[in-house]
Amino acid sequence: MIYLKRKIDAYLEDWKSKPDRLPLIVKGARQVGKTESIRRFAKKHYENIIEINFVTEPIYKSIIEDGFSTSSIIRLISRIDPSKKFVEGKTLIFLDEIQEFPEIATSLKFFKEDGNYDVICSGSLLGVQYHRIASISVGSKTDYQMYSMDFEEFLWAKGYGEDLIEDFLNHMLEGKPFEDAVHKTFSDLFLEYCILGGMPAVIKQYILKGTFEGSLDVQRQLLTDYSNDIIKYAEGLDKAKILSVYNSIPAQLAKENKKFQYTKVVKGGRSKEYMGCIEWLENAGLISVCNCMSFPELPLKGNIADAKFKVYMTDTGLLVASLDDEAQMDLRANKNLGVYKGALYENFIAESLIKQGYGLYYYSKENSTLEEDFFIRSANELIPVEVKANTNRSKSLRTLISSDSYSDIKHGIKFTIGNVGISDDIVTFPYFCSFLLKRYMERQNFFQ
């Protein structure tokens, strides 16, 4: 079976190289590839691997019956399975699906103090009582957030290397348009990625077969699995309401005004009836929340309008798989996105920003057509990021830049189906370059 290169691979190598490394917790939604990547790393670096899955092997929940010390846990693991070997300095203990057994996080402090064994934990955010895990292992762990594959990882899977990525970045830094053939090739690949999304099971099948055969079935099964997990893990909340909120997202994004509205979940719906649903879905890694700014100025985090937000799905391919059958057919056969065109591109950019470590913020002026999709910041500027499903002019973006009312805004970024370009104080990039935004911001001279 092929292994798809992931960004966590380099992170794990770096983690292993540190002599004072802490136990590691790899977080992420289900089936984004956590276990496969950790296993591959483990086989490469350790003589002995102790893998325990608390879902499939619940018997191991008894390993803390004598306390949390390293010696007692190792003794009880070996009592259950005497074939497991613990060699100091050469053993990785891999504790998988810790959402089923959050108490085990208390042991990380003792593993850290003992220092003779490396420990990696992994868990789906679905059902992970992560605040609880974090509170009982504070100072004793390192966290890594894993997502589904981004467009760069998709390009790796297609056989492209670092030279191509560097060429993309140079085009952005120099403001140099791509040749027509190159632009078409990667625009087509970008659309394929949008349809497939980044779930490894979907990408792997696509790479092996060279076609989209079966991809929709796999995506819809993943959506079913997520719905089942909501039913399984949403303790203390109305599970039907969480499902209703989750299932309403495609229709919410198809609206001209993409602000999330509870009345679109159910007629007459009010926010107080759905308290906790959005937070639960976000913590589960199924959605990303984009907060509305009360005014477009710095700082970003201290400038949020309460109860006004947009919601995106964390994997654009799963958004596509959630669309109605007619929209599915039109998109796959004719590359026509219909009423979902803006939604698809916005969702993709939201996903790309999150995967690069950015927060999500937007602005919508009351009683006005002035609205901006996203914002990031440089050292001294607030930078609006506009998502265009076409190559039309950007009225709101130009207003924000030119008006004296918005003193923190001097430049803007626009993502479009078009090519690289610089016009006045706006730099334009094709969608397929969006995964490089953070690297561009670190190396550019435009926002100075």
Side-chain angles (χ1 to χ4, degrees):
M1 197 65 174
I2 62 169
Y3 177 76
L4 301 175
K5 178 184 174 184
R6 304 297 304 275
K7 292 184 174 177
I8 193 177
D9 299 342
Y11 179 88
L12 290 171
E13 294 288 338
D14 183 60
W15 174 79
K16 181 73 168 68
S17 71
K18 296 175 180 176
D20 57 347
R21 56 189 171 274
L22 297 176
L24 175 65
I25 296 183
V26 179
K27 305 180 293 180
R30 71 137 67 215
Q31 297 188 43
V32 296
K34 301 183 296 296
T35 300
E36 185 177 16
S37 293
I38 294 167
R39 281 177 179 164
R40 182 174 182 271
F41 163 77
K43 289 176 182 176
K44 179 179 177 182
H45 288 285
Y46 297 90
E47 286 184 18
N48 299 294
I49 304 164
I50 310 300
E51 180 176 339
I52 295 171
N53 183 309
F54 292 112
V55 169
T56 59
E57 303 169 297
I59 189 174
Y60 283 100
K61 292 181 182 181
S62 66
I63 62 177
I64 60 171
E65 65 183 28
D66 291 339
F68 292 95
S69 71
T70 298
S71 58
S72 67
I73 286 176
I74 287 174
R75 178 172 54 81
L76 291 174
I77 290 173
S78 63
R79 186 179 73 183
I80 294 169
D81 183 357
S83 70
K84 287 181 165 39
K85 295 179 181 179
F86 294 86
V87 180
E88 293 183 0
K90 298 181 179 180
T91 300
L92 174 72
I93 300 172
F94 174 27
L95 305 174
D96 203 4
E97 304 287 9
I98 63 167
Q99 76 276 3
E100 291 290 326
F101 190 44
E103 293 83 0
I104 195 63
T106 301
S107 70
L108 299 184
K109 174 185 176 182
F110 298 93
F111 277 111
K112 172 198 169 188
E113 292 173 351
D114 180 79
N116 289 313
Y117 306 97
D118 286 349
V119 180
I120 298 179
C121 301
S122 177
S124 159
L125 287 186
L126 288 166
V128 170
Q129 299 166 308
Y130 198 70
H131 295 302
R132 183 177 166 200
I133 290 173
S135 67
I136 60 180
S137 56
V138 63
S140 304
K141 63 175 177 58
T142 301
D143 289 327
Y144 181 87
Q145 180 71 51
M146 191 170 180
Y147 300 99
S148 64
M149 297 171 68
D150 68 5
F151 187 58
E152 182 172 16
E153 289 170 315
F154 176 73
L155 291 175
W156 292 345
K158 291 286 291 182
Y160 295 101
E162 295 303 324
D163 54 341
L164 175 84
I165 308 303
E166 190 64 24
D167 182 61
F168 278 16
L169 185 55
N170 287 332
H171 274 81
M172 296 169 72
L173 292 167
E174 297 167 14
K176 184 174 73 173
F178 291 95
E179 296 177 0
D180 288 346
V182 173
H183 183 270
K184 183 180 186 313
T185 295
F186 291 101
S187 293
D188 287 346
L189 276 175
F190 165 76
L191 184 59
E192 289 188 6
Y193 170 76
C194 283
I195 293 171
L196 291 163
M199 301 303 282
V202 179
I203 299 295
K204 200 169 287 189
Q205 185 165 280
Y206 164 79
I207 295 296
L208 287 171
K209 294 187 175 181
T211 71
F212 289 82
E213 179 189 343
S215 60
L216 182 57
D217 292 336
V218 175
Q219 288 170 318
R220 286 182 168 166
Q221 183 58 53
L222 285 167
L223 289 168
T224 298
D225 291 343
Y226 281 161
S227 295
N228 290 338
D229 280 332
I230 290 171
I231 294 168
K232 178 180 178 181
Y233 288 116
E235 298 175 4
L237 291 169
D238 190 321
K239 300 173 182 186
K241 286 181 179 176
I242 296 176
L243 279 171
S244 295
V245 168
Y246 186 57
N247 292 333
S248 77
I249 294 173
Q252 299 268 3
L253 290 174
K255 299 186 290 137
E256 185 67 28
N257 172 15
K258 294 179 176 60
K259 172 190 162 189
F260 189 87
Q261 296 171 295
Y262 291 103
T263 55
K264 301 299 180 183
V265 179
V266 63
K267 190 174 181 179
R270 293 177 294 178
S271 61
K272 69 177 183 179
E273 299 171 4
Y274 290 87
M275 291 291 282
C277 294
I278 294 291
E279 183 181 7
W280 193 94
L281 287 166
E282 185 176 29
N283 287 339
L286 300 186
I287 65 170
S288 298
V289 175
C290 182
N291 291 298
C292 185
M293 303 171 71
S294 54
F295 188 80
E297 63 183 359
L298 295 171
L300 280 167
K301 287 186 177 179
N303 187 17
I304 303 302
D306 291 337
K308 194 174 180 182
F309 57 90
K310 296 186 287 188
V311 171
Y312 299 100
M313 292 182 70
T314 49
D315 186 87
T316 302
L318 294 184
L319 171 63
V320 171
S322 302
L323 304 182
D324 57 82
D325 289 341
E326 285 188 12
Q328 286 275 345
M329 183 62 71
D330 211 14
L331 171 58
R332 292 170 183 274
N334 306 315
K335 298 183 182 180
N336 179 21
L337 306 177
V339 297
Y340 296 103
K341 181 183 293 184
L344 185 68
Y345 290 134
E346 257 190 62
N347 200 97
F348 175 79
I349 295 300
E351 179 186 346
S352 182
L353 290 172
I354 287 287
K355 289 177 177 178
Q356 292 174 76
Y358 287 112
L360 299 183
Y361 304 90
Y362 80 106
Y363 178 65
S364 180
K365 188 175 182 180
E366 293 287 348
N367 304 314
S368 170
T369 58
L370 181 64
E371 181 166 347
E372 198 52 69
D373 300 313
F374 302 104
F375 289 85
I376 61 172
R377 67 166 299 170
S378 64
N380 304 307
E381 288 186 44
L382 179 66
I383 302 167
V385 178
E386 182 145 305
V387 179
K388 298 291 284 186
N390 48 47
T391 55
N392 294 344
R393 290 176 62 83
S394 307
K395 183 179 177 182
S396 290
L397 189 54
R398 293 196 175 276
T399 298
L400 289 169
I401 294 169
S402 61
S403 173
D404 293 336
S405 300
Y406 311 108
S407 58
D408 289 336
I409 300 174
K410 301 178 181 65
H411 303 87
I413 294 171
K414 182 167 66 172
F415 286 104
T416 173
I417 57 174
N419 216 320
V420 176
I422 298 174
S423 176
D424 299 325
D425 296 314
I426 299 173
V427 60
T428 300
F429 300 125
Y431 285 112
F432 62 77
C433 287
S434 58
F435 71 91
L436 285 165
L437 180 60
K438 195 155 202 169
R439 274 169 271 183
Y440 170 80
M441 292 300 297
E442 289 167 353
R443 289 172 53 178
Q444 54 73 39
N445 296 309
F446 188 73
F447 300 99
Q448 302 293 338

